[in-house]
């Protein structure tokens, strides 16, 4: 069993990248966001241009990240996955350093993270230049994302996917079982994709336990969640 999980707005209560940009980037980042929303640039182009607008020191960004809240039940869900031998991977089109810093603040460092890579070039007595690398980008990615989630979540095997937003649309066709809220739930409804609605990880944990275990507590296979 492998569980793949989005981060921004799923584990974190809000989109961390947007929060950082709103606090530290030049205001043009919103115009770039609109270009992506209107389909004029790809998600990867959008993210890179926005990160390049950051004007802050590393320590200021880290101090801000230390105030980010996550779903209070995520730690228990992680422990539940470990107890039952489920792999847990965060698959995010966000920024690796932001994710790692937030999780470390909550004592959750030992999770595999697939995300875009923050690059900084320090300068003496001035703020660093920031850029974004794409170690998980795919030329075949239909959405032009920095992280091709479909390349990470293959349709074979018992896969669970948990998400909430636009970067989760494509991959919702690949996972065997999808937990969705917000924009992802709307997308699944509009495209007749089976999913389980949720508001937090306590609900997800209860649902997974109910699906996977019979009354005798013997594990069972996941139901097929995809339509033909």
């Amino acid at each position: 069993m492998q569980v793949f999980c989005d981060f921004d707005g799923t584990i974190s209560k809000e989109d961390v990248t947007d929060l950082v940009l709103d606090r530290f980037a030049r205001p043009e980042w919103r115009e770039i966001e609109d270009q992506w929303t209107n389909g004029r640039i790809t998600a990867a182009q959008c993210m890179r241009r926005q990160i390049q607008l950051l004007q802050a020191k590393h320590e200021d960004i880290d101090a801000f990240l230390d105030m980010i809240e996550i779903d209070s039940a995520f730690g228990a869900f992680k422990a539940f996955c470990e107890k039952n031998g489920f792999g847990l991977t965060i698959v995010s089109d966000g920024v690796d350093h932001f994710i790692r810093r937030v999780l470390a603040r909550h004592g959750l460092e030992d999770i595999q993270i697939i995300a875009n890579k923050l690059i900084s070039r320090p300068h003496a007595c001035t703020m660093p230049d920031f850029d974004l690398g794409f170690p998980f980008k795919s030329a075949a990615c239909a959405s032009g994302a920095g992280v091709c989630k479909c390349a990470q979540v293959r349709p074979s095997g018992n896969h669970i996917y948990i998400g909430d937003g636009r970067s989760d649309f494509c991959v919702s066709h690949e996972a065997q079982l999808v937990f969705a809220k917000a924009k992802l739930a709307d997308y699944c409804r509009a495209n007749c994709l089976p999913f389980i609605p949720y508001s937090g990880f306590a609900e997800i944990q209860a649902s997974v336990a109910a699906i996977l275990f019979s009354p005798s507590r013997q594990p069972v296979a996941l139901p097929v969640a995809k339509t033909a």
Side-chain angles (χ1 to χ4, degrees):
M1 175 66 63
Q2 180 67 40
V3 179
F4 295 94
C5 184
D6 176 55
F7 181 78
D8 290 293
T10 301
I11 295 173
S12 62
K13 293 186 176 181
E14 298 181 75
D15 189 302
V16 176
T17 302
D18 282 357
L19 292 175
V20 171
L21 291 170
D22 195 46
R23 174 65 179 84
F24 296 109
R26 297 201 301 271
E28 302 95 276
W29 79 267
R30 294 188 179 277
E31 298 174 12
I32 296 171
E33 188 83 4
D34 290 340
Q35 292 175 20
W36 169 60
T37 301
N38 295 329
R40 298 188 308 193
I41 59 175
T42 66
Q45 290 170 331
C46 175
M47 283 285 294
R48 186 176 189 189
R49 293 176 188 177
Q50 289 176 326
I51 292 299
Q52 290 173 340
L53 294 175
L54 286 174
Q55 294 182 307
K57 296 180 180 179
H58 260 294
E59 55 266 34
D60 293 332
I61 293 176
D62 285 348
F64 181 76
L65 291 170
D66 287 344
M67 297 187 293
I68 300 295
E69 295 184 6
I70 66 171
D71 187 315
S72 60
F74 178 69
F77 178 75
K78 173 180 177 291
F80 169 81
C81 290
E82 292 172 346
K83 178 181 178 180
N84 290 282
F86 306 155
L88 175 61
T89 301
I90 293 173
V91 184
S92 170
D93 201 28
V95 181
D96 62 348
H97 177 75
F98 299 171
I99 297 170
R100 295 183 193 282
R101 182 77 187 193
V102 171
L103 292 178
R105 164 77 170 72
H106 295 276
L108 299 167
E109 298 95 334
D110 57 335
I111 303 176
Q112 182 185 11
I113 297 172
I114 296 172
N116 301 306
K117 181 176 179 58
L118 183 66
I119 300 169
S120 64
R121 303 179 181 88
H123 301 286
C125 302
T126 62
M127 294 180 185
D129 292 330
F130 290 98
D131 203 347
L132 204 61
F134 303 106
F136 302 101
K137 189 176 181 181
S138 170
C141 183
S143 64
V147 172
C148 183
K149 294 188 176 183
C150 293
Q152 304 299 323
V153 182
R154 299 299 184 184
S156 61
N158 285 340
H159 293 341
I160 294 174
Y161 190 83
I162 305 166
D164 78 304
R166 184 170 170 177
S167 70
D168 307 309
F169 287 0
C170 288
V171 74
S172 65
H173 294 262
E174 304 298 334
Q176 191 174 8
L177 184 64
V178 175
F179 286 89
K181 66 177 180 178
K183 291 180 180 179
L184 179 58
D186 293 339
Y187 176 85
C188 289
R189 291 188 189 98
N191 290 273
C192 299
L193 295 174
F195 73 98
I196 298 176
Y198 75 96
S199 60
F201 278 89
E203 290 177 73
I204 295 172
Q205 181 174 327
S207 295
V208 173
I211 291 169
L212 292 177
F213 297 100
S214 68
S216 62
R217 303 304 295 169
Q218 294 298 313
V220 298
L222 279 176
V224 175
K226 294 179 66 179
T227 56

